[in-house]
Amino acid sequence: GVLEPLLTAMRGSGNVTVLEWGCQLLGNLWRVSENSPLPVPLAELAPFVPLLANLVAAPEQDESVVRSALAALADFGRLCMDAAQGTDADRDVLVECGAVASLKALLESAEPSLKCVASLTAYVISAGSFEHRQAVIDGDLVPLLVDVAASGETELELKEMAARTVGNIAGGVQQQTEYVVECGGIQPLCDLLQASTEDLMGLQSTLLVLYKTLRAGRQKQANEGLPDNPYCTLLEQAGGVDKIVELQTHNDMNIAAQASLFLLNRFPARVDLHRLEALFEAGVIQVGPVHPGGGGDDQATHVGDDNSDGDSDIAGEGNGAVDGHLQGDSGEEER
């Protein structure tokens, strides 16, 4: 029960000692050993995020307070990581307490540790509902996250976290995907295909988000009467198609299958036919009817192993998807 009175005391005090010791107490409360349960739900810690961010950003702030607030924010970032994607209750409180606005200041900071905390917290928020993703958009975080992910001076771990947050937003509804693309979000997503070639779940997630992005591009093409899918061109320009071509020979056959089916649906001229044949022979890709129960032309579907998550497989469109797996479209290269 110490958190609420501590929050009240720190909010109402300008005393350096109170603020410094308050930050240190927070750090001690939040610091947990690896794989240990969270001391309290993230929702109870969320109101401290804007408070700590304001302490760091305050002009002529005492150095000891800044140092202690930075350490506490770093501990909060680690808690976000330990909490995986958190809960919708956590996300609701993070949005309602003004944390999103404080994250903007942290992302604009030159301090890498602050950018890391902001990216982790934004990732937790963006992993929720439409409203949570929209809060990140409305807080003007997406352009900043794209900048962090694209910066050559950013550490790899931070680049990946920022890009995955962008991917969460891109995986939303049509207008959210379009906004991410307008902010330059395709490039950092394509960079993830190279940065995380041994991160199987990360690769599956990124391939799915990129496939959904091209689906949004197809909808944009139809809505605006465009001759081509504009997002296919952007994916090629960002080097994403070349990276997906390389993933056809990934040593994990499920990743190879997803990459092959991605290309089969969108860029059939880039499919490695020998690898595709091997995946068929191994049973990783099977041919099934377009509609459950028969009828229509045959098409390819990805059959994951027992450890694969159906939601992580690339979802088809047009003809639909069966059990979340990708199904072939017309076979014509999309442009």
Side-chain angles (χ1 to χ4, degrees):
V2 71
L3 288 177
E4 187 171 343
L6 178 60
L7 179 63
T8 300
M10 293 181 68
R11 278 176 171 168
S13 177
N15 183 281
V16 169
T17 302
V18 171
L19 296 174
E20 179 185 0
W21 281 86
C23 291
Q24 291 181 8
L25 176 58
L26 276 177
N28 291 334
L29 291 171
W30 293 356
R31 198 168 295 123
V32 294
S33 59
E34 187 175 357
N35 298 324
S36 296
L38 295 182
V40 292
L42 282 182
E44 296 184 26
L45 307 177
F48 286 94
V49 175
L51 170 64
L52 294 171
N54 290 336
L55 290 177
V56 171
E60 301 181 6
Q61 181 65 270
D62 185 87
E63 181 61 31
S64 63
V65 174
V66 173
R67 192 165 51 247
S68 298
L70 284 173
L73 280 169
D75 287 329
F76 181 80
R78 282 190 284 272
L79 286 178
C80 287
M81 183 69 78
D82 292 339
Q85 295 187 352
T87 67
D88 278 349
D90 297 330
R91 289 183 267 274
D92 288 341
V93 176
L94 280 166
V95 172
E96 291 165 2
C97 75
V100 173
S102 67
L103 296 183
K104 183 177 181 181
L106 297 181
L107 285 170
E108 291 173 335
S109 167
E111 176 61 43
S113 62
L114 292 183
K115 292 180 187 289
C116 185
V117 172
S119 296
L120 280 168
T121 309
Y123 178 80
V124 170
I125 296 172
S126 67
S129 65
F130 164 83
E131 289 77 14
H132 297 125
R133 291 189 294 271
Q134 194 61 41
V136 176
I137 291 174
D138 294 342
D140 295 327
L141 301 189
V142 174
L144 297 172
L145 289 164
V146 170
D147 288 344
V148 170
S151 174
E153 299 178 359
T154 304
E155 293 183 1
L156 180 59
E157 184 177 357
L158 176 53
K159 287 170 70 78
E160 290 191 13
M161 180 55 63
R164 294 201 186 288
T165 306
V166 171
N168 281 346
I169 308 297
V173 300
Q174 178 75 21
Q175 64 265 33
Q176 292 174 335
T177 305
E178 290 188 14
Y179 178 74
V180 168
V181 175
E182 290 170 6
C183 292
I186 285 183
Q187 183 65 64
L189 290 175
C190 291
D191 292 343
L192 280 176
L193 294 175
Q194 180 173 341
S196 57
T197 50
E198 298 304 319
D199 177 6
L200 302 185
M201 291 188 65
L203 281 174
Q204 288 179 333
S205 175
T206 303
L207 285 167
L208 175 61
V209 168
L210 286 172
Y211 195 84
K212 287 182 175 180
T213 300
L214 295 193
R215 185 169 60 195
R218 171 177 281 186
Q219 186 63 51
K220 181 179 177 69
Q221 177 187 359
N223 291 344
E224 301 180 11
L226 302 175
D228 304 313
N229 183 335
Y231 296 170
C232 282
T233 301
L234 293 175
L235 184 67
E236 288 184 299
Q237 292 173 345
V241 177
D242 289 338
K243 290 182 174 68
I244 295 170
V245 168
E246 294 175 2
L247 288 177
Q248 291 179 103
T249 58
H250 195 280
N251 55 16
D252 183 272
M253 297 187 76
N254 286 299
I255 296 296
Q258 285 190 275
S260 297
L261 291 174
F262 187 116
L263 296 170
L264 190 64
N265 274 258
R266 293 291 176 258
F267 304 92
R270 302 298 303 275
V271 174
D272 182 337
L273 296 179
H274 293 293
R275 180 59 165 167
L276 187 63
E277 182 179 359
L279 293 169
F280 271 113
E281 291 178 352
V284 183
I285 297 177
Q286 294 182 0
V287 175
V290 172
H291 301 289
D297 297 330
D298 287 346
Q299 63 186 76
T301 59
H302 171 209
V303 180
D305 59 26
D306 291 339
N307 297 320
S308 67
D309 183 352
D311 291 338
S312 68
D313 288 314
I314 297 171
E317 63 178 71
N319 292 328
V322 177
D323 297 330
H325 300 306
L326 181 149
Q327 293 187 319
D329 292 328
S330 65
E332 297 177 358
E333 184 153 5
E334 184 169 328
R335 282 292 179 270

